[in-house]
Each structure stands twice: as C-alpha cells, then as structure tokens.
Amino acid sequence: IETLGYRVLGVQPNSPASTAGLVSFLDFLVGVNGEMLMGSGEGLQEGDEYDDIDFPALLKENNGKQLELLVHNIKSNSQRLVNITPSSEWGGAGLLGVTIRLDNYGGADERLIRVLSVEHNSPAAIAGLVPMTDYLLGTTSSSFDSDSALAEVLMVHSDRIVEIYVYSSETDLVRVVTLMPTLSWGGRGLLGAEIGTGYLHGFPKSCRNTDGASVERKIRMGVRPTEKALLMEEKEEKSNSNQNGHEVEESSSQEEEGEMVDLTALTDTMSGKAMCFAEQMEMELDPSAEEQENQTAQQSAEGEESGNRPTPEPPVVDANNLFSGPPPR
C-alpha cells in the first residue's frame, strides 16, 4: 500500500489539472496538504486499517480553495509539489478536469509495452505508431501493465475504434492515437506490431531527466464511440422487424443520441478501480476515425440486409497471436 496512488489518465484543456501541469499516465497523485492519500501507516497495529483520505469528498469541501498535491512521476522517478485549485466554474467537466484511477506506482516504469516493429498497412501503422520510441500506456479507463492487458483490450475492440495513450521518447510527449484492431488487414494479428515488455524495454536514460508532458484532449457528452456501430446495428435489426407490418415503438432520444456514459461509476475488472471527476464525459473522436467507423458499420448493415450468406463467427485467437509476433525473450 506504500506505493499506491491515483494515476492521472486524462487531462482536459484549460482545466485546473492542466494549469498544475499534470501528465497523463506518468503522474500519480500520492498526497495532499502534507498527508498521504493512502494513509501513512504510522502507529498502526496488526489488523488495523489504513486511514485513507476520501479524495473526492476533500475536493468538494475545498471547491475554490488551493490544495497542495504531492505528485510522483514514474519516468523521472521523482516527486514534486504542485498547487491546484478545485473549481466548478473553470468551464469544463469536474472539479479538476482530470480522470484518475487507483494504481500501484511501484515498478510501474518497468511494466511498459514498447513498440519494436510495425507491419506495413497494419492497424498499428495506420494509427501512426513509431517503432522503438513509442510506448503503449493504456486507455481512458485502464493501464497496460502487461501484454495480456493489451491483448484483452484489442480483442474487446476488434473492428472497433479505441483510443490509446502513447508516450514517445523522441518527443517526450504522451499523445492519444486512434486505433482500430482488426484481423482483416492482410497480415498477422489484430495490431500488426511486435512489442517488447520487461526491464529491457523501460524508458531510456535519455528521457529520464524530465517529467514529460501530455497532449490535452477535449471531452464531450454522449455515447461512447466504440458503441456507435452497435447502436446502428440495433437500428437496422428493428427496421427489418418492421417489415412484417407491425409497428415498433422507439425511443427517439436514446436511439439518436445514445445513452449517456457516466464515468464516475466506471470500474474496470481488468485493471482495477477507475474514478473520474466529471459527471458524464467521453473522449473526443477524431473526425476521420469517426467517418471510417461509420463506413464500417454501414458495410456491416448492408451485408446483413442482403442475406446472401451468414456472417462468419470471429475466430478464437490466442493472446500471443494478437500481435505480429511474440515479444523477444
């Protein structure tokens, strides 16, 4: 528990978190106003529980008041104090404008996924991943602390858009890339890239002297981009069911807009507890990626309408085959 903290996942532009200089995925919030968020453990007897700080409640109590945060950075392996003022009037979602998740920062700089090679015309190439200098960090709700964690995300988002945070040791920036894992790109694996994990694939010494920086992302209210195709398929199924002459009552508000996503209650069974200091928010989808996703969903709907042949079941793929090759030993 000594190395537990709240990992910074996403920072909104012009937010209190942005003003404080918090860095996505590289920064952990570990203390506030001279106290450890997870408790110091001093004076505890065997069987006693740590006196953790209720961080969300603390932020609400100090709305408009300055707080001093203790931040641990896993790249520079250093800690710094930053001043931040929670506010409900800064113009965006939440009091800090940041998404955080409870995580372990001990050894996190060695639990990285490094891109070693990228196949031509693969999903990794289309997403703009750069061999040897790019590190896959995670999504808006989970971190990639192993290749199996990445494999699960790729399988869940097969033929769908997913946004992934990537650190570049060349630019010293954490950016967000739009990726659509698929087995139909003409090569091996959903990603089409060779990756490496473990001690030999940690951050290089050349970038260890800085805390890094992150490209801020706007957020919007609405439906998850990865669920848009499913909504379109449901519309198509209802449209087909209406051909027998029976009318089906539809809820226009939910069908057109999609259900709102409440990330305050989001939990991730793969990687632990997720917290977001916003009520309902979602990452902004790149316009070109959104257009590509709509075309994919339209082609899927046209294939179902033709009825010439049933859609084949997706093959069962071993986790080791989701990339272009196994990680080097």
Side-chain angles (χ1 to χ4, degrees):
I1 194 170
E2 289 81 3
T3 56
L4 281 180
Y6 291 111
R7 190 169 200 166
V8 174
L9 300 188
V11 178
Q12 302 175 45
N14 304 316
S15 65
S18 172
T19 303
L22 297 182
V23 184
S24 297
F25 277 88
L26 303 183
D27 277 346
F28 283 75
L29 310 182
V30 297
V32 58
N33 290 347
E35 297 183 23
M36 301 301 290
L37 289 173
M38 297 296 108
S40 64
E42 296 182 0
L44 289 182
Q45 302 295 327
E46 184 176 356
D48 291 345
E49 295 183 357
Y50 278 75
D51 186 18
D52 299 345
I53 295 178
D54 189 341
F55 194 40
L58 179 67
L59 293 176
K60 293 180 180 180
E61 294 172 0
N62 290 273
N63 188 3
K65 303 176 183 179
Q66 182 173 280
L67 297 174
E68 185 181 65
L69 293 179
L70 177 62
V71 180
H72 179 86
N73 186 274
I74 63 171
K75 187 166 72 70
S76 62
N77 195 25
S78 63
Q79 294 185 345
R80 67 186 190 275
L81 294 174
V82 300
N83 293 322
I84 193 169
T85 303
S87 174
S88 56
E89 301 178 355
W90 64 271
L95 295 176
L96 296 184
V98 64
T99 308
I100 64 174
R101 182 178 64 82
L102 189 64
D103 203 351
N104 182 11
Y105 61 85
D109 58 332
E110 298 178 2
R111 300 191 301 271
L112 299 172
I113 297 180
R114 186 183 189 184
V115 178
L116 301 181
S117 65
V118 175
E119 297 291 335
H120 181 63
N121 287 334
S122 66
I126 295 173
L129 296 182
V130 181
M132 305 308 295
T133 61
D134 274 354
Y135 295 79
L136 308 182
L137 302 177
T139 67
T140 55
S141 62
S142 63
S143 58
F144 298 151
D145 54 5
S146 66
D147 55 355
S148 60
L150 171 61
E152 185 168 347
V153 168
L154 293 178
M155 287 188 291
V156 168
H157 293 88
S158 179
D159 296 315
R160 299 176 185 174
I161 297 296
V162 60
E163 289 186 323
I164 293 180
Y165 284 78
V166 178
Y167 170 76
S168 170
S169 59
E170 183 177 8
T171 63
D172 201 27
L173 284 175
V174 177
R175 69 186 191 278
V176 180
V177 303
T178 302
L179 175 72
M180 188 172 76
T182 181
L183 292 172
S184 61
W185 63 275
R188 179 184 176 188
L190 287 168
L191 183 61
E194 186 180 19
I195 62 170
T197 60
Y199 176 79
L200 296 179
H201 299 289
F203 294 124
K205 291 183 179 180
S206 59
C207 70
R208 289 279 192 170
N209 58 344
T210 68
D211 294 330
S214 54
V215 177
E216 298 167 350
R217 298 285 287 168
K218 293 181 180 180
I219 62 170
R220 61 178 171 84
M221 308 285 286
V223 66
R224 289 179 182 274
T226 53
E227 295 174 355
K228 189 173 297 183
L230 291 179
L231 290 173
M232 293 185 66
E233 291 177 1
E234 290 176 2
K235 283 185 179 181
E236 185 67 23
E237 291 177 358
K238 288 188 177 182
S239 176
N240 293 337
S241 66
N242 290 340
Q243 294 178 359
N244 58 9
H246 296 283
E247 294 184 357
V248 178
E249 181 178 358
E250 297 182 358
S251 173
S252 59
S253 60
Q254 288 189 356
E255 290 295 327
E256 294 179 2
E257 299 293 337
E259 295 183 359
M260 303 300 290
V261 181
D262 185 0
L263 295 188
T264 58
L266 179 63
T267 57
D268 191 279
T269 57
M270 176 179 63
S271 56
K273 179 181 179 183
M275 298 180 59
C276 175
F277 297 125
E279 293 182 355
Q280 293 167 326
M281 54 182 277
E282 183 52 75
M283 300 299 295
E284 193 79 53
L285 184 63
D286 185 80
S288 60
E290 185 172 8
E291 181 179 355
Q292 181 180 8
E293 183 180 335
N294 289 338
Q295 292 177 355
T296 302
Q298 183 177 1
Q299 293 173 0
S300 175
E302 291 175 354
E304 292 180 0
E305 185 177 357
S306 64
N308 292 333
R309 55 186 179 184
T311 304
E313 293 292 332
V316 178
V317 182
D318 187 86
N320 293 329
N321 294 328
L322 294 176
F323 319 107
S324 63
R329 296 185 180 275

